[in-house]
Amino acid sequence: MTSGKARSAANPRKRLAILGSTGSIGRQTLEVARAFPSRLKVEALAGGENKELLLEQLAEFRPALVASLVPLGEGELAHPCLWLSLEEMTTHPDVDLVVVATAGKAGLAPTLAALRAGKEVALANKEVLVMAGEIVMAQAQAQDVTIRPIDSEHSALWQCLEGQRGEVARLILTASGGALRDLSPEQMEEVTPAQALRHPTWSMGRKVTIDSATLMNKGMELIEAHWLFGVPLERIGVVLHPQSMVHSMVEFADGSILAQMSPPDMRLPIQYALSYPERWENPSLPRLPDQATLDFRPVPPGRYPCLELAREAALLGGTCPAVLCAADEVAVERFLAGGLAFTDIPQLIAAALGRHRRVGHPSLKQILAADAWSRRQAQAWSPRGDS
Amino acid sequence: MTSGKARSAANPRKRLAILGSTGSIGRQTLEVARAFPSRLKVEALAGGENKELLLEQLAEFRPALVASLVPLGEGELAHPCLWLSLEEMTTHPDVDLVVVATAGKAGLAPTLAALRAGKEVALANKEVLVMAGEIVMAQAQAQDVTIRPIDSEHSALWQCLEGQRGEVARLILTASGGALRDLSPEQMEEVTPAQALRHPTWSMGRKVTIDSATLMNKGMELIEAHWLFGVPLERIGVVLHPQSMVHSMVEFADGSILAQMSPPDMRLPIQYALSYPERWENPSLPRLPDQATLDFRPVPPGRYPCLELAREAALLGGTCPAVLCAADEVAVERFLAGGLAFTDIPQLIAAALGRHRRVGHPSLKQILAADAWSRRQAQAWSPRGDS
């Protein structure tokens, strides 16, 4: 029994470590913690590059354990605390639950460390499961830990599957279709970063907003859902749902569908990951109105090549999803910097996948090597084909 | 341990008694039984007044136990069987699960008998819980039997609640709004039986189709949901949903909503009541299309007086819901016979409720007395107020 599971009755508060506390999910996790001071204790914070915000968070929550990408001076902190590495923090005996709200591959090693230490893990960092789903799930199963998804789609699936004993026929991920869903193929070639960043329903970081416009985010979620719920890829579908009220659905063997609905607000899936299996009343969360229209339509074939690339990479398996992730990250950076057209993004990723020599059942080291290789490919790629 | 629960591994088929086999739900229950011959055995059939259909069903399923409202001659049956009363049938040791697909108060005594004998009960007969919810649920709890709802709405709620450990905030029943949902109040006064019988989404019996147009069916379902799931009446709401794809929803304490969806086809809730906790693949059940628009809107205040009457009767409790049911049954009969205007239906029911001397925590005998009293009132009632 680990310290996390042996939380004593004298200290009933769940002690959180939040990795990536200054990012979008990190900040909203702190909003939830602020709403439930008698149930949640912010024991550890790890911030990114926004030093000012991290200092504010440290002053408000006074966590005993701190990590920071940028150095903080002794005099800048109003309370005594312990400086740790991410790995020391996630395995610390005073931590019960680790919220992995980092981005990219930064969450991979700390997630594995937390699982090895038997901590509860709430996961918002998509790349962790996309790059290393096999290793991560094996570790979670070895320690009998349920990974608590924070993505709205996976939280929806998790809620729909909770306690159900009937056979699952299909997981159905909903997709808003992103900022560019109503453009013609010709208009897509001319899309500017500013256009692609205007998401119709969700307010999120820049990278994930572009991934929403290409549907790469849905492709990555498809891979995550496969690992989290053990459902074969061919039984995971995507449907367009512009209103982002239904966050995903489960179809059972008899054709009955359960759907989870709520206004698009990440605090609900964050809170559920922290409160599970309980549910807590939170007056600051928005409620669905009594009047609503919900539309569903199939994904138009050929319109979202990134979704198809993600499905192909997932079916190939091994190091391919890591190559996909890394190439996408570089492609999106280059698009946002003005160096690539929107429609170059899938071209670049396809080129990286096409050249990759896949390794099956890779180790963490092999995954990271594939990631580095893919980044180099993606940086060198040119739309004129001269790389 | 009852014989129903002690079903042996040597005979893994669930042995069904179907009460009301010639009605709409009874016929669809037999369709499900026909689709799963290795899992379901039709052990007992009790038919209504459609002698010809009952004879067909007996010839096809050859049940060992038979009951019939109309006398059948010895020579009319091709196989040997035992003639029983409904009560003998529901308590027979060879029966595992009793499907109560009768209408009106006919299901009350057999349901109580089945529960007393510890049988599994699948309940389609609304009036059983509306009239006698307190008695029926006490009996079910005493025998530790879960009543399996067959109504699409309650099946939806049951599916959404299955295995959930979080606190429930609200049950939300969906209502199509019935055949007359788009008429003006003036047009409502002139409605003919033929108009009111044209239900937009569901194909059902005449009584329940009229109850759909008045929303009395939703009022009765509200009372049933209260008893089945132990949720207070003030936390059960109704929302209009014209497409009848979402069959009902549960809102949890954190604002998250789970909804159950499927095309409007009663065979799914019937099958789930028989397969629970399993789910069986059934190629003959329709699937939801990938393209759909689902609308939800509040019930316009004042538009559906029968819904308000049902809520009032439920809050008053005791014998009032039985008076409501009986008055509604007579009012609908008189409307279908051309003797009352559509808008007289709530007037008649309100008059009966207004004159009733409520009995709290009534016995079955007191409930049946209130039913008889209400029918007399309802027969005598006149729109001109001269009764």
Side-chain angles (χ1 to χ4, degrees), chain A residues 159 251 256 287 293 295, chain B residues 159 251 256 287 293-295:
Chain A
Q159 292 178 55
E251 181 177 319
S256 182
R287 302 272 160 157
T293 295
D295 293 298
Chain B
Q159 292 177 56
E251 181 178 319
S256 181
R287 302 273 159 156
T293 295
L294 307 178
D295 294 296

Side-chain angles (χ1 to χ4, degrees), chain A residues 228-308:
Chain A
L228 278 171
F229 305 113
V231 172
L233 289 159
E234 60 273 20
R235 292 207 270 123
I236 309 177
V238 177
V239 67
L240 291 183
H241 167 50
Q243 293 89 1
S244 300
M245 293 282 190
V246 169
H247 298 300
S248 280
M249 305 182 255
V250 174
E251 181 177 319
F252 293 92
D254 56 7
S256 182
I257 289 179
L258 291 191
Q260 187 270 333
M261 301 198 272
S262 48
D265 188 310
M266 284 307 297
R267 289 173 299 167
L268 177 64
I270 292 169
Q271 180 179 310
Y272 186 66
L274 304 182
S275 73
Y276 173 82
E278 294 174 20
R279 291 187 184 262
W280 300 336
E281 202 179 324
N282 183 348
S284 73
L285 287 181
R287 302 272 160 157
L288 273 187
D290 271 357
Q291 178 118 19
T293 295
L294 307 179
D295 293 298
F296 302 90
R297 53 176 192 259
V299 177
R303 164 123 194 147
Y304 293 102
C306 284
L307 176 61
E308 297 314 313

Side-chain angles (χ1 to χ4, degrees), chain B residues 64-83:
Chain B
L65 316 172
V66 177
S68 171
L69 277 184
V70 288
L72 303 180
E74 283 290 322
E76 294 188 277
L77 274 181
H79 77 289
C81 60
L82 206 57
W83 289 89

Side-chain angles (χ1 to χ4, degrees), chain B residues 4 12 43 50 58 64 79 82 99 120 123-125 163 169 201-202 209 227 230 269-270 286 304 311 317 346 349 358:
Chain B
E43 192 71 36
N50 188 339
L58 295 176
H79 77 289
L82 206 57
V99 178
E120 293 170 352
L123 186 62
N125 189 157
T201 48
W202 286 98
T209 302
W227 289 115
I270 291 169
Y304 293 103
R311 196 180 276 279
I349 299 166
R358 172 186 172 280

Side-chain angles (χ1 to χ4, degrees), chain A residues 156 158-167 169-170 238-240 246 249 251-263 268 271-272 275-282 285-298, chain B residues 156 158-167 169-170 238-240 246 249 251-263 268 271-272 275-282 285-298:
Chain A
W158 186 35
Q159 292 178 55
C160 291
L161 289 166
E162 169 70 5
Q164 295 285 337
R165 289 172 283 173
E167 197 195 327
R170 202 159 55 113
V238 177
V239 67
L240 291 183
V246 169
M249 305 182 255
E251 181 177 319
F252 293 92
D254 56 7
S256 182
I257 289 179
L258 291 191
Q260 187 270 333
M261 301 198 272
S262 48
L268 177 64
Q271 180 179 310
Y272 186 66
S275 73
Y276 173 82
E278 294 174 20
R279 291 187 184 262
W280 300 336
E281 202 179 324
N282 183 348
L285 287 181
R287 302 272 160 157
L288 273 187
D290 271 357
Q291 178 118 19
T293 295
L294 307 179
D295 293 298
F296 302 90
R297 53 176 192 259
Chain B
W158 187 34
Q159 292 177 56
C160 291
L161 289 166
E162 170 69 6
Q164 295 285 336
R165 290 172 282 173
E167 197 194 327
R170 202 159 55 113
V238 176
V239 67
L240 292 183
V246 170
M249 305 183 256
E251 181 178 319
F252 292 92
D254 56 8
S256 181
I257 289 179
L258 291 190
Q260 187 270 334
M261 301 198 272
S262 48
L268 177 64
Q271 181 179 309
Y272 186 66
S275 73
Y276 173 84
E278 293 174 21
R279 292 189 183 261
W280 300 336
E281 201 178 327
N282 183 347
L285 286 181
R287 302 273 159 156
L288 273 188
D290 272 356
Q291 179 117 22
T293 295
L294 307 178
D295 294 296
F296 301 90
R297 52 177 194 257

Side-chain angles (χ1 to χ4, degrees), chain A residues 313-365:
Chain A
L315 287 168
L316 289 166
T319 43
C320 289
V323 168
L324 175 96
C325 274
D328 177 61
E329 201 172 315
V330 173
V332 171
E333 272 167 22
R334 290 181 63 185
F335 166 69
L336 286 174
L340 287 183
F342 185 75
T343 46
D344 286 336
I345 297 173
Q347 304 285 344
L348 181 157
I349 299 166
L353 280 171
R355 291 187 183 188
H356 180 59
R357 300 185 73 141
R358 171 185 174 280
V359 180
H361 306 291
S363 65
L364 189 56
K365 201 174 152 190

Side-chain angles (χ1 to χ4, degrees), chain B residues 146-279:
Chain B
T146 299
I147 294 181
R148 303 162 175 230
I150 281 185
D151 243 358
S152 62
E153 291 80 0
H154 301 96
S155 180
L157 295 173
W158 187 34
Q159 292 177 56
C160 291
L161 289 166
E162 170 69 6
Q164 295 285 336
R165 290 172 282 173
E167 197 194 327
V168 171
R170 202 159 55 113
L171 306 180
I172 306 164
L173 295 163
T174 53
S176 70
L180 311 173
R181 61 194 180 199
D182 298 320
L183 298 192
S184 69
E186 296 71 41
Q187 290 172 309
M188 296 285 266
E189 304 210 6
E190 308 297 326
V191 160
T192 63
Q195 273 177 288
L197 284 170
R198 254 179 248 130
H199 195 279
T201 48
W202 286 98
S203 160
M204 305 177 291
R206 287 159 62 90
K207 163 70 164 51
V208 60
T209 302
I210 301 301
D211 283 344
S212 291
T214 61
L215 249 60
M216 177 57 89
N217 74 324
K218 218 47 58 178
M220 290 170 69
E221 287 166 12
L222 192 148
I223 304 174
E224 285 182 277
H226 162 66
W227 289 115
L228 278 171
F229 305 113
V231 171
L233 289 160
E234 59 274 20
R235 292 207 270 124
I236 309 177
V238 176
V239 67
L240 292 183
H241 167 51
Q243 292 89 2
S244 300
M245 293 282 189
V246 170
H247 299 300
S248 280
M249 305 183 256
V250 175
E251 181 178 319
F252 292 92
D254 56 8
S256 181
I257 289 179
L258 291 190
Q260 187 270 334
M261 301 198 272
S262 48
D265 188 310
M266 283 307 296
R267 288 173 300 168
L268 177 64
I270 291 169
Q271 181 179 309
Y272 186 66
L274 303 182
S275 73
Y276 173 84
E278 293 174 21
R279 292 189 183 261

Side-chain angles (χ1 to χ4, degrees), chain A residues 58-109:
Chain A
L58 295 175
E60 177 180 355
F61 291 97
R62 302 175 68 85
L65 315 172
V66 178
S68 172
L69 277 185
V70 288
L72 302 181
E74 284 290 323
E76 293 189 275
L77 275 181
H79 77 289
C81 60
L82 207 58
W83 289 89
L84 300 173
S85 71
L86 282 192
E87 180 154 347
E88 289 168 328
M89 179 180 275
T90 57
T91 58
H92 194 282
D94 289 348
V95 166
D96 302 313
L97 187 149
V98 178
V99 178
V100 184
T102 43
K105 64 178 183 293
L108 201 41

